[in-house]
Amino acid sequence: MNTVLMSVFERTKELGVMMAIGTKPSQMVALILLETLVLEFFGIILGVIGGYLVVFYFGKVGISFSDLEMALSRSYVSTVTYTQVELRNVIESIIHLIIITSFISLYPAWKAGRTEPVKAIYHS
């Protein structure tokens, strides 16, 4: 929300000019929501790729807890843990992220749609 809200605040003059030349408030809201959606999907793609690489690496190499060997010696817990991820968890996370981000982006979009052209153009 902070990223989108700051984007709206930083472009107040540009949004004011757009409103002055005839952009409707609903079009302004749609523009901000579309912008948020694009940022969201790039974040999801990069996050899934980065997360997969990290999980794949530690799935092969493992995470060593050798410093805890004395504490774990009386239990049946291994001192090396191998990571794995289930597709279901990734899909659920993506769906939750899309819902939450779309909901959060409504305020900055509403704020942009309520921009008064004259005040926005002379905004310093």
Side-chain angles (χ1 to χ4, degrees):
M1 179 173 161
N2 187 41
T3 303
V4 178
L5 193 57
M6 289 309 297
S7 173
V8 168
F9 285 148
E10 288 175 359
R11 296 182 301 153
T12 301
K13 288 182 183 181
E14 290 86 354
L15 297 176
V17 170
M18 288 176 65
M19 296 289 279
I21 61 172
T23 304
K24 297 176 186 169
S26 61
Q27 292 173 321
M28 191 67 66
V29 169
L31 175 74
I32 300 301
L33 291 176
L34 179 65
E35 198 175 287
T36 303
L37 193 66
V38 169
L39 284 171
E40 179 179 333
F41 282 118
F42 276 118
I44 287 171
I45 290 168
L46 292 175
V48 167
I49 291 170
Y52 175 77
L53 292 174
V54 169
V55 169
F56 179 77
Y57 174 76
F58 286 113
K60 296 290 182 195
V61 175
I63 302 171
S64 176
F65 294 103
S66 58
D67 293 341
L68 301 174
E69 189 169 357
M70 291 297 291
L72 298 174
S73 65
R74 294 181 183 231
S75 66
Y76 296 105
V77 178
S78 173
T79 58
V80 179
T81 300
Y82 297 94
T83 58
Q84 63 181 9
V85 67
E86 294 181 18
L87 182 61
R88 186 181 129 247
N89 293 340
V90 173
I91 292 171
E92 284 180 3
S93 298
I94 290 171
I95 290 170
H96 288 131
L97 182 65
I98 290 170
I99 291 169
I100 291 169
T101 307
S102 299
F103 180 72
I104 287 175
S105 68
L106 291 175
Y107 176 71
W110 174 78
K111 191 88 169 152
R114 292 190 40 136
T115 302
E116 292 183 34
V118 175
K119 287 183 180 178
I121 292 171
Y122 290 108
H123 182 265
S124 53

